Amino acid sequence: MRSNPEEIAAYYRQAIWGGQYRTGDALPRAVDVAEEFDADRKTVLDAYRQLADEGLVEVKRRAGTVVTYAAPMRWMGTERYSRSLRARGVPAFAADREASGQPWQRSDQSTMVQRVRASPEVAEALSLPVGTEVIERSRLVRDAGGRPTQSLTSWYRVSDVEGTAIETSTENTAGSGGGYSVLDGLGLGPTQVTEDLWPRMPLPAEAKLLELPGSVPIVDFTRWARHHDHVVEFARGLYVGPRFRWSYTSPISD
């Protein structure tokens, strides 16, 4: 049975993600791939176009199909929330960039803030009655090339952050070190963070938001940030799976 474009794209996608082909390497000629996979040249070119749409390769005249995928960023786990980074004016998304040797600027993050009624999930997380007014802060982060890497929406009690930069700042980050630096100034800086990660395929609306074809996996992210026993932020996010390498260092309890 002859291979289809999806099968050929999947093979080279995994080869690129796995490091068999690195940035600047050329993929094999379409005619050679067609022979190897028992396909015609058009099928291979369709597969290469899929990879180009995903930002993994670029088709260049004379040079062929060249890998443009960069090594994934290091996602630093709870280290990205450290007070020392916040004090230096480094928000969490930028901490990942710095740890990965990648540039960043505050305008990489776009923000929308509004007051909404708490859904059952948000109400439970913040220990509020369903329908209570809360502050919702949504962010979309792009890399230096303009491609989305993650989205994140946080919810806060009005009584905790009303009138602060978390509610009023709609350009870039809320504070110099992100929203947690604002909470620090309120005496509500997070002392504990719980995170829940779920790798999966994106829904159509999620793929549109992150400008992805449906074949690229995402990581569904949930976070509870506490100041001692008080949940000060509940957040839900989506990360483009292949853009990050998840790295954690944690103490081992007795």
Side-chain angles (χ1 to χ4, degrees), residues 204-232:
E206 295 167 341
K208 182 178 180 181
L209 172 67
L210 296 172
E211 300 175 14
L212 296 173
S215 55
V216 175
I218 61 172
V219 175
D220 190 316
F221 172 87
T222 307
R223 179 173 73 204
W224 298 259
R226 297 177 178 85
H227 177 73
H228 302 298
D229 293 331
H230 181 71
V231 176
V232 291

Side-chain angles (χ1 to χ4, degrees), residues 17-192:
W17 286 348
Q20 183 177 340
Y21 295 95
R22 300 184 180 276
T23 304
D25 289 348
L27 296 186
R29 296 184 309 159
V31 64
D32 295 331
V33 176
E35 182 176 350
E36 179 182 356
F37 282 84
D38 187 24
D40 57 44
R41 183 171 177 274
K42 180 181 181 302
T43 297
V44 178
L45 293 176
D46 287 344
Y48 281 0
R49 274 191 286 271
Q50 286 186 30
L51 299 177
D53 289 343
E54 296 170 19
L56 299 179
V57 302
E58 182 179 344
V59 180
K60 298 184 176 181
R61 189 179 297 275
R62 294 194 178 92
T65 302
V66 178
V67 175
T68 55
Y69 173 71
M73 289 182 282
R74 179 187 171 208
W75 196 92
M76 294 177 60
T78 53
E79 298 168 55
R80 66 206 296 268
Y81 308 124
S82 70
R83 288 185 180 83
S84 61
L85 286 173
R86 300 202 294 271
R88 283 204 296 117
V90 181
F93 84 86
D96 297 334
R97 302 274 182 90
E98 290 192 354
S100 307
Q102 296 189 17
W104 68 275
Q105 51 189 355
R106 295 190 186 280
S107 59
D108 292 338
Q109 176 177 293
S110 57
T111 305
M112 183 177 72
V113 184
Q114 59 183 337
R115 291 196 181 195
V116 299
R117 298 295 176 182
S119 68
E121 180 184 41
V122 171
E124 180 181 7
L126 296 178
S127 300
L128 296 170
V130 173
T132 301
E133 188 174 58
V134 294
I135 294 171
E136 178 184 87
R137 187 174 179 87
S138 302
R139 287 89 82 198
L140 181 67
V141 179
R142 297 178 181 270
D143 64 15
R147 294 179 299 169
T149 59
Q150 69 232 57
S151 67
L152 187 71
T153 300
S154 299
W155 294 270
Y156 307 85
R157 292 181 185 84
V158 172
S159 58
D160 284 344
V161 301
E162 182 177 18
T164 69
I166 286 176
E167 181 176 25
T168 62
S169 175
T170 57
E171 293 186 6
N172 312 327
T173 59
S176 62
Y180 287 1
S181 64
V182 177
L183 292 172
D184 286 339
L186 296 170
L188 294 173
T191 57
Q192 182 187 69

